[in-house]
Amino acid sequence: MLTVIGPGQQVRDVCCLYNFKKIQSWYSLAFYWFFSFGIVYSFYGEFIFSDRVGVLDWRKDLFYFHFLYDSLHNFGVIPVSFLAIPSDIAWFSTLQDLSYWSNPEVISLSPFLPLAYVMSFMAFMKAYFAAHIFVAVWGVRFLAARTGLGTVQTMALLVLFLLNPWLVQHLAIGYTPQISLCLVPLLVALLISEQFRPIQLAGASLVAAWIFYQGALHLFVWLCMAMGVTIAMIALLGRRADVLWRAAFFFMGTLILVLPKVYAVSKVYGVWERFPAVGYASLTDVWGLLTDDSFPMFLFPETYTKYNVAFYDGSLLVGSVFVLLVVWLVFEYLSQLRIVNALRLRDGVCLLAASVFFLLGWNTIWRTVSGYLLLSSSEIYPFRFLFVAYNFMIFFVVDRIGRCHARFSGRIRNAVIYAALTMTCLTFYDRNRELMPYLTENPNFYGDFSISEFYSNRIVAQSGQTLLPVTATPTSVTIIPAGVAGHHILLPWLPWGAVGHHMFHGARPLRESPYGGTVIEVTSAASPVVIEPDSSSRGMLLTGVSLFFAGFVVVTTFVHRKWVVGSRPTKRQESR
């Protein structure tokens, strides 16, 4: 409150107040970043600054990283096809087809790919993970600013979002695309706005497509479902039909951007069907997934069916204290239903959305629902929806901090919440220390991987007993034929079933070899035979959707400004 002695004194007081708030803001920001880097280093530093990798599926993902890195570093291209893969990493995604571009698990596009041109392999791979973690720290701060959270609430949100064991345990077993989870706070922050802002929503669509193109297909599906449920809840509870228009813009923009990759994946996996398994079937199962810290995470085969789910995948250790904290805050919220305001509305949206995903993971509910929605193959492990529900609940918990205005009881309440969150952070750290040896167990077992050396004894062309000269890259195979047109060449590396996914120049596919592979017939002996894996018109489609998306944003912005903003009365008109 200002003490006004004279006009000059009032101005000085206002300036002092403004400077104090500015200094306080900078202090809070510095404290947040200092806290963030310290605690993130204690949780992820050992992995980021080591030259070692994890267990299980890391054999597959490390090969993916090596192949991408060498393709960029030595050939200057994003690969189109593997052409061949090591026999010890045969996986469902590579057994369907050897295409790189059509593989839903690999990094197809990412703003971090240029790092491959200036870094060694291991530095590139670890920088890729570190950059995502940095984006998560910044994204949480950005989200907190958009939602009006205080500094302590922001730090609590960072701990509950980034430091919970779910990400570390999935990185440990080689589910590396899940690192794209770090982009979610940025995406959510871009979606939050009181008014329709096409440029901001376009940014959200770009981040969603970014997640998809980095191979996080499951995460992308969860994200789209979560956005759909949240928007429906806001429209229903807040009686705001305008959010449906924003949702339409976001989903349309995202669909446009992911269309090239969706087209390529559907050509290979369009007829491939998988059916959802059974989720957790009792509250005892849920309690075990949330609080069991004694069962060994990677005790096979017992971990496949622990609590009726794959425990190593579905476990989300938050501890009994955090579960009880959530229950208490939910009851507190429900006891104040008569109070209606914007903050309680968003808490209600989080609570209802969490309930929806919790139920989708229950027993056979998702199997039934996905059958009606034709989404059976999009997620076959419904217990993973428990993690989606958790992310809604952590914002609910953080948003409830400081809601009690009574002085003494409010301080006691907040002290209890902070104590519970501190114990939860310690639970996270204990599980992190348990998992870190798995995440740093193996060296780079591919060594100095080279695509040229990898192809040297795998991508061959035989004319009788003679090996023909072959030049193979991740985008094409060039063969120098011997003889005249009509000459037959055996390609033992090319399955007959994959012939339809390749284009032949100077030759045509003839028949399947009885010994495996494909026999081609030379049609023009005067020029080399060039075999190009099907890129599903990658370059043309990416260019086309980029232009179409830009036009979509420009037209929508123009229409919005002309017909919506332009139709609103000005302040002068309102005063009249």
Side-chain angles (χ1 to χ4, degrees), residues 163-234:
L163 306 185
N164 73 78
W166 189 89
L167 182 57
V168 173
Q169 74 193 43
H170 282 79
L171 291 180
I173 58 179
Y175 289 2
T176 58
Q178 307 296 22
I179 192 65
S180 294
L181 174 71
C182 295
L183 306 178
V184 172
L186 173 60
L187 171 61
V188 176
L190 289 172
L191 286 172
I192 296 174
S193 176
E194 287 298 323
Q195 298 179 355
F196 177 74
R197 301 182 186 276
I199 301 301
Q200 185 175 310
L201 291 174
S205 294
L206 284 168
V207 176
W210 179 4
I211 292 172
F212 181 73
Y213 278 104
Q214 288 190 157
L217 177 60
H218 289 287
L219 182 59
F220 178 78
V221 172
W222 306 342
L223 188 62
C224 289
M225 291 177 61
M227 292 300 103
V229 170
T230 303
I231 290 166
M233 294 295 180
I234 293 174

Side-chain angles (χ1 to χ4, degrees), residues 317-328:
L317 180 62
V318 296
S320 56
V321 172
F322 182 78
V323 176
L324 294 176
L325 174 64
V326 168
V327 172
W328 170 39

Side-chain angles (χ1 to χ4, degrees), residues 128 203 502 562:
Y128 177 81
H502 292 74
K562 184 174 181 62

Side-chain angles (χ1 to χ4, degrees), residues 45 48 52 65 84 86 199 208 270 300 333 364 373 381 393 403 420 438 444 466-467 502 517-518 536 546 564:
I48 295 298
R52 304 180 73 82
F65 270 107
I199 301 301
F300 296 98
Y333 175 84
T364 60
L373 299 178
Y381 301 116
M393 289 309 302
R403 288 293 180 83
Y438 294 99
N444 176 12
T466 304
L467 292 177
H502 292 74
T518 296
S536 300
S546 299
V564 179

